[in-house]
Amino acid sequence: MPIVRNLGRAASQLLQSSGCGCGVSLVPVRAIGVSPRQVASDASFHSVTFSESDHPRVLITGGLGQLGVGLAKLLRKRFGKNNVILSDIRKPADNVFYSGPFIFADILDYKNLREIVVNNRITWLFHYSALLSAVGEANVPLARAVNITGLHNILDIAAEHNLRLFVPSTIGAFGPTSPRDPTPDLCIQRPRTIYGVSKVHAELMGEYYHCRYGLDFRCLRYPGIISADSQPGGGTTDYAVQIFHDAIKTGKFKCYLRPDTRLPMMYIDDCLKATLEVMDAPAEALTMRTYNISAMSFTPEELAQEVQKYVPELQMTYNVDQVRQAIADSWPMNFDDSNARRDWGWKHDYDLPELVTTMFSYLGSDSRIAQAN
Ligand SMILES: NC(=O)C1=CN([C@@H]2O[C@H](COP(=O)(O)OP(=O)(O)OC[C@H]3O[C@@H](n4cnc5c(N)ncnc54)[C@H](O)[C@@H]3O)[C@@H](O)[C@H]2O)C=CC1
Ligand SMILES: CC(=O)[C@H](N)C(=O)O
């Protein structure tokens, strides 16, 4: 009994010893080839080289997907080309390769990741590698490895090297038992996809490492992201990108979701702006470490009506894919992002009409595009 009581006292001291209700004391370090061990958080090998007056040295993982190249462009404008390293396991296109530093980085290779962080004196890490909702369901073992094991590698390296770490979460981190209209930051999260499960895991692990080891973990739950110059990587919201390309090329679009399926969406510039803003925010402003962000919410039918202002002859048909429909039916319809707006001043720039105008102006004028507006 005394042992149990002492353990209980030690645990409660630990849980009460910092502002977030947890004790910041130890950093997990994996010695290469040895099982994980723990050392004091002020151990001398910590590479805390980033002072507030310096630019951060940035690594982006999974950078060749829909969002990474745009993020690199934004960060390079701000911090300088050579301070932002893009990485992935795929071969970059010429324009990406010649636009700034690119390296191979497999997030499942812990030793290689650690070398990259050390050799390049990385201070900020944006962890974009993931398998998205639809491709995740098609290959659960790979999604589990990339989204969960990969995240563990990133968390340990970030904690060990005192990095500021951004990990995106998603509307997919909610499920059928979550309130869907609107969905607040804190509510039931029981997603039914491996993607969603892995993202809830990422949110909780990041917050745990923040409380337990002092890791500067920051996380935004992105809505479906819409971009003109990059293709989505196999999600449920991809239709809202493809419709623009098909409308311009063929004047026809076959949608795999029902016309009334409402989902939160966002233009890529807003998404990247929010990402940089939350990374820039002073730690004292953040009352949470995982925030919803929102801009608009629409159905395929509503998007088609807006697109038809530019391509009036667009023929929209529906061929429902049961897997993606079931996923969409379990996701939020509207996102409550009032905490992000209050804590760090989040404000979106693009609503639905603005988004559609911008997409068409990027994708170029075509003989099909009427001057209807
Ligand atoms: N695009 C969207 O609508 C949304 C994206 N997000 C999140 O934002 C992040 C970026 O998303 P996207 O760019 O759209 O994803 P994406 O699927 O387009 O790109 C993911 C990248 O990860 C890379 N990758 C896969 N396995 C890897 C490995 N073992 N090591 C290193 N890289 C690996 C892929 O090669 C790919 O380039 C993801 O974490 C995603 O969950 C969240 C919500 C919405
Ligand atoms: C919303 C997301 O996370 C992604 N676009 C997907 O549909 O899987």
Side-chain angles (χ1 to χ4, degrees):
M1 271 317 270
I3 292 173
V4 173
R5 221 176 290 128
N6 284 342
L7 278 175
R9 202 177 309 134
S12 79
Q13 276 167 0
L14 198 61
L15 290 170
Q16 285 164 12
S17 61
S18 85
C20 62
C22 313
V24 179
S25 55
L26 301 167
V27 172
V29 174
R30 293 192 218 173
I32 307 300
V34 183
S35 55
R37 63 194 171 89
Q38 307 220 303
V39 296
S41 66
D42 58 353
S44 59
F45 55 74
H46 271 215
S47 60
V48 192
T49 52
F50 169 48
S51 82
E52 285 306 315
S53 56
D54 291 335
H55 282 319
R57 297 266 309 155
V58 178
L59 176 67
I60 304 171
T61 67
L64 295 184
Q66 186 190 2
L67 307 184
V69 173
L71 179 68
K73 203 168 155 193
L74 181 74
L75 296 175
R76 282 173 181 157
K77 242 186 238 158
R78 171 87 180 274
F79 302 130
K81 185 166 116 173
N82 292 324
N83 286 318
V84 180
I85 301 173
L86 200 56
S87 73
D88 207 303
I89 52 173
R90 297 192 275 146
K91 202 166 155 185
D94 281 359
N95 64 325
V96 174
F97 188 70
Y98 292 112
S99 65
F102 176 85
I103 47 173
F104 172 89
D106 182 346
I107 56 154
L108 297 174
D109 184 345
Y110 176 79
K111 182 172 177 288
N112 177 239
L113 272 180
R114 202 178 188 214
E115 280 170 11
I116 291 168
V117 165
V118 169
N119 290 346
N120 295 286
R121 297 180 309 117
I122 297 301
T123 54
W124 282 19
L125 201 161
F126 292 82
H127 177 48
Y128 269 6
S129 308
L131 259 64
L132 272 59
S133 57
V135 291
E137 288 312 292
N139 192 342
V140 173
L142 184 63
R144 200 178 63 182
V146 172
N147 296 9
I148 299 178
T149 307
L151 173 91
H152 293 170
N153 288 340
I154 294 288
L155 284 172
D156 282 353
I157 286 164
E160 183 184 345
H161 297 283
N162 220 17
L163 309 185
R164 185 169 298 182
L165 173 63
F166 179 83
V167 179
S169 185
T170 162
I171 49 173
F174 297 94
T177 50
S178 306
R180 296 180 60 218
D181 189 16
T183 305
D185 279 306
L186 296 176
C187 63
I188 291 174
Q189 286 180 268
R190 287 290 181 275
R192 295 271 170 86
T193 59
I194 184 65
Y195 178 57
V197 168
S198 69
K199 289 294 186 177
V200 177
H201 178 74
E203 293 175 8
L204 292 175
M205 285 295 285
E207 290 178 11
Y208 176 73
Y209 268 55
H210 169 65
C211 289
R212 186 74 169 81
Y213 305 120
L215 173 65
D216 193 350
F217 170 80
R218 299 171 187 223
C219 174
L220 297 179
R221 295 193 190 102
Y222 294 162
I225 306 301
I226 298 165
S227 56
D229 56 2
S230 56
Q231 291 295 325
T236 303
T237 59
D238 295 10
Y239 89 86
V241 176
Q242 197 56 41
I243 187 174
F244 291 95
H245 295 279
D246 288 9
I248 288 175
K249 268 195 223 130
T250 66
K252 292 183 186 147
F253 180 62
K254 195 183 276 179
C255 186
Y256 55 77
L257 295 181
R258 275 195 324 268
D260 61 347
T261 310
R262 182 172 300 282
L263 290 168
M265 301 279 184
M266 181 176 281
Y267 184 57
I268 188 166
D269 286 13
D270 272 340
C271 164
L272 301 179
K273 181 180 81 155
T275 303
L276 189 49
E277 281 176 3
V278 80
M279 284 296 271
D280 265 343
E284 319 80 74
L286 305 176
T287 60
M288 311 189 304
R289 288 286 162 162
T290 302
Y291 289 92
N292 292 350
I293 50 165
S294 174
M296 66 190 96
S297 190
F298 55 73
T299 65
E301 200 169 32
E302 289 165 356
L303 178 58
Q305 278 165 14
E306 208 57 43
V307 169
Q308 276 161 346
K309 293 182 182 166
Y310 293 81
V311 185
E313 72 275 24
L314 172 70
Q315 287 171 32
M316 182 92 159
T317 53
Y318 295 90
N319 182 16
V320 172
D321 168 25
Q322 296 306 335
V323 174
R324 282 180 288 191
Q325 186 65 54
I327 294 173
D329 287 343
S330 74
W331 282 3
M333 295 194 284
N334 280 293
F335 233 19
D336 174 354
D337 63 354
S338 49
N339 290 316
R341 288 175 193 265
R342 184 200 60 217
D343 285 1
W344 45 275
W346 160 240
K347 196 168 155 297
H348 67 276
D349 292 326
Y350 293 82
D351 56 13
L352 178 56
E354 189 85 43
L355 163 87
V356 174
T357 305
T358 307
M359 287 295 285
F360 279 115
S361 75
Y362 264 105
L363 294 173
S365 56
D366 183 271
S367 56
R368 291 182 171 282
I369 299 177
Q371 301 302 311
N373 266 2

